[in-house]
Amino acid sequence: MKSGKEQTTDLRWTLQKRMKEVLGRSLHIRHVDSGSCNGCDFEMNTLTNPIYDIQRFGVDFVASPRHADMLMVTGGVTRHLEEALIKTYNAASEPKMVVAIGACACSGGIFGRTYANYGGVGHIVPVYVYVPGCPPRPEAIIEGILLALDRYEELSRNRYEELSRNKGENRH
Amino acid sequence: MFDLIRKIWRTKTVTKTELFTEAPERFRGKPIFTSNECTGCQACTTSCPAGAITLQQNDDTITVSLSYTTCIFCGICAEVCETNIIEITNEYRLATKNKNELTVSQQATLAKLLTARKEV
Ligand code: SF4
Ligand code: SF4
Ligand code: SF4
């Protein structure tokens, strides 16, 4: 059993530790606004302010998808921004971790699925983690990042096992 | 302006002490079903602005499902429910890898309602 202080220290650096384990480097995020009301975007911006200060764990928001490992998508993908989302997704470098932030990005939220709104990022690009909330708390977004790292680890392990199995079969 | 800076100064960096702090008590988070005494009045489904609650009525049972992916955590359903079976909690950690996990259902038997209808 760990003492209370040690536990909090562990929790404090979980994010950085997981990032080192899974990616081996820092995590850069590109924010994609696909027609949100800006509520979720503000909550994401608070991650870098002095109160949450996520940058000291090595997470940063970057200006180009080509620099990013993770796409954070807000909004329910309107018709005009569908193209932008697809282009951004294609431009992002591997691993293309997509995190859907907010009720809109998860399933259309209060706008629903209409002629102008696709009703969810999942209809357009594969999503790693859903973070519901309107808007979600910054801590919930941090949890989303942690879960996305888990998912990436899972997927890459499966891929590695598959590759090594294929190699074994070819040899026989 | 100075108030704001003072507030930030006093709050300090939240993630320094704990990564996941608890939300304030009155924070509107995850709505939950506390019991299965639903009467099927449909007040929640009609007043939900996001259409997150669906009601499915079979012969003698009724199933209320709430989808957290659509819910905007406004708390109206908890206000209008006549039997108070929906309650807003301050739980906010809902992030998930599997979207199906985000739907909760509550089943209730419609015995009371059915007998009332037979009498008519
Ligand atoms: S989930 Fe809510 S806060 Fe976020 S973009 Fe949609 S309406 Fe705005
Ligand atoms: S909290 Fe609001 S949006 Fe969520 S289920 Fe209740 S009424 Fe609907
Ligand atoms: S959950 Fe409450 S408001 Fe909704 S149908 Fe049942 S009794 Fe009526």
Side-chain angles (χ1 to χ4, degrees):
Chain A
M1 189 68 198
K2 281 177 195 162
S3 70
K5 189 146 191 195
E6 269 173 60
Q7 248 171 357
T8 47
T9 334
D10 279 351
L11 248 183
R12 233 161 72 182
W13 299 105
T14 323
L15 191 56
Q16 198 171 33
K17 218 170 62 199
R18 287 292 295 153
M19 259 160 28
K20 282 263 168 61
E21 268 171 25
V22 179
L23 296 169
R25 53 174 188 249
S26 62
L27 175 72
H28 280 191
I29 302 172
R30 169 71 189 158
H31 166 215
V32 189
D33 182 341
S34 66
S36 77
C37 76
N38 271 172
C40 290
D41 311 12
F42 277 125
E43 292 300 307
M44 278 168 55
N45 284 344
T46 57
L47 285 178
T48 53
N49 77 5
I51 290 182
Y52 292 98
D53 200 10
I54 202 178
Q55 276 173 330
R56 60 186 217 292
F57 299 121
V59 183
D60 203 0
F61 287 90
V62 289
S64 164
R66 293 183 208 284
H67 305 159
D69 313 294
M70 178 186 278
L71 296 180
M72 271 197 181
V73 191
T74 56
V77 194
T78 55
R79 253 204 279 173
H80 278 296
L81 286 161
E82 181 206 358
E83 198 192 336
L85 176 58
I86 292 172
K87 271 188 184 164
T88 315
Y89 183 76
N90 290 338
S93 53
E94 294 284 343
K96 297 170 198 251
M97 293 187 259
V98 179
V99 180
I101 305 282
C104 292
C106 289
S107 70
I110 194 159
F111 303 109
R113 206 174 173 180
T114 59
Y115 69 96
N117 205 6
Y118 275 91
V121 179
H123 295 294
I124 313 285
V125 292
V127 176
Y128 273 42
V129 171
Y130 295 91
V131 185
C134 185
R137 271 171 80 89
E139 279 118 327
I141 299 179
I142 297 177
E143 198 192 13
I145 297 174
L146 279 170
L147 281 178
L149 290 175
D150 281 358
R151 178 116 174 94
Y152 174 65
E153 196 182 28
E154 232 171 73
L155 287 180
S156 52
R157 203 191 296 125
N158 289 352
R159 179 96 188 109
Y160 179 75
E161 274 168 16
E162 202 178 291
L163 277 180
S164 47
R165 215 182 300 128
N166 286 350
K167 234 184 197 169
E169 275 169 17
N170 287 346
R171 216 173 278 151
H172 293 303
Chain B
M1 176 74 190
F2 282 115
D3 281 348
L4 193 71
I5 293 175
R6 210 172 295 133
K7 194 180 171 200
I8 293 175
W9 194 256
R10 224 180 294 130
T11 316
K12 299 234 174 62
T13 309
V14 183
T15 48
K16 221 170 205 167
T17 46
E18 230 177 311
L19 203 50
F20 302 113
T21 50
E22 197 169 326
E25 203 155 285
R26 290 186 62 214
F27 176 78
R28 289 196 305 266
K30 184 179 176 182
I32 50 163
F33 293 110
T34 49
S35 72
N36 60 350
E37 283 162 7
C38 174
T39 55
C41 67
Q42 302 195 354
C44 53
T45 47
T46 47
S47 62
C48 177
I53 309 180
T54 49
L55 222 102
Q56 213 177 33
Q57 200 163 338
N58 293 334
D59 289 341
D60 56 349
T61 59
I62 191 156
T63 312
V64 213
S65 316
L66 203 161
S67 164
Y68 294 132
T69 52
T70 330
C71 177
I72 60 165
F73 307 99
C74 62
I76 292 177
C77 52
E79 250 170 57
V80 298
C81 180
E82 53 175 17
T83 49
N84 287 329
I85 66 161
I86 306 180
E87 195 182 292
I88 297 282
T89 60
N90 67 350
E91 171 70 48
Y92 65 90
R93 288 172 63 181
L94 291 167
T96 175
K97 294 177 244 178
N98 184 3
K99 207 172 167 182
N100 298 334
E101 277 174 17
L102 286 173
T103 310
V104 288
S105 317
Q106 180 75 55
Q107 210 173 42
T109 30
L110 262 186
K112 235 183 355 191
L113 221 71
L114 273 183
T115 44
R117 228 179 263 159
K118 265 177 208 158
E119 280 165 16
V120 173

